[in-house]
Amino acid sequence: MVSGATDKQITHHNHFVPQFYLRYWSCDDKSIWDYKLVVENERENIWRLTSLRTACSWDDLYTQRIAGADVDDIENYFCDKYESPASFVLRKMDGGFAISKNDIDRLVNYWLIQYFRTPSFMFKNAK
């Protein structure tokens, strides 16, 4: 699935939880509190403030190398098929507007795909 668009910038910094979704947990629209699961020292802070740009992201998680070129089709697919529709519905809900059954279906699909696009799922199934 190689895209024909050559003018679009390749996204190398991939968020497995999109920034628009993380923003709902932000107090300042720039960062969220992040809980560290692994700590090397018992005196180390397990909570830290993390920027939305770096939270829930992994460089080149979805970038593919096809015919000597970086391809961003997976990132674009997630954005077009799941993130954009869910973002629209969440903004509707945030504005106090009613949502339809189709809107609920979009949210369910978005939340389900979140499981499959995490690094742990991808690494587990890459074997």
Side-chain angles (χ1 to χ4, degrees):
M1 130 171 117
V2 177
S3 66
T6 57
D7 57 341
K8 190 170 182 182
Q9 184 93 11
I10 298 292
T11 305
H12 289 283
H13 190 70
N14 304 128
H15 281 83
F16 49 91
V17 178
Q19 291 180 74
F20 83 83
Y21 193 66
L22 294 172
R23 211 166 260 115
Y24 285 97
W25 283 271
S26 177
C27 295
D28 61 3
D29 210 34
K30 297 176 194 165
S31 58
I32 59 170
W33 284 100
D34 185 8
Y35 183 81
K36 292 172 64 174
L37 293 176
V38 178
V39 292
E40 297 179 19
N41 184 317
E42 62 191 37
R43 288 176 273 147
E44 186 175 351
N45 272 342
I46 54 176
W47 286 97
R48 66 177 177 209
L49 204 55
T50 304
S51 76
L52 292 178
R53 170 148 168 54
T54 59
C56 301
S57 66
W58 193 298
D59 287 345
D60 290 318
L61 180 62
Y62 307 124
T63 308
Q64 298 174 299
R65 189 104 177 130
I66 300 176
D70 288 341
V71 178
D72 213 9
D73 288 347
I74 294 172
E75 177 76 18
N76 293 334
Y77 176 77
F78 283 140
C79 183
D80 296 343
K81 178 90 172 148
Y82 299 103
E83 292 174 13
S84 292
S87 174
F88 173 77
V89 175
L90 290 171
R91 282 193 314 270
K92 235 171 119 173
M93 291 171 62
D94 200 33
F97 296 99
I99 59 172
S100 67
K101 182 191 177 320
N102 286 341
D103 291 336
I104 293 170
D105 290 343
R106 288 182 185 112
L107 288 178
V108 168
N109 289 335
Y110 168 73
W111 285 319
L112 285 173
I113 201 69
Q114 285 304 110
Y115 171 74
F116 297 109
R117 66 183 295 189
T118 62
S120 61
F121 180 85
M122 292 177 72
F123 291 135
K124 182 174 92 174
N125 290 296
K127 297 177 182 176

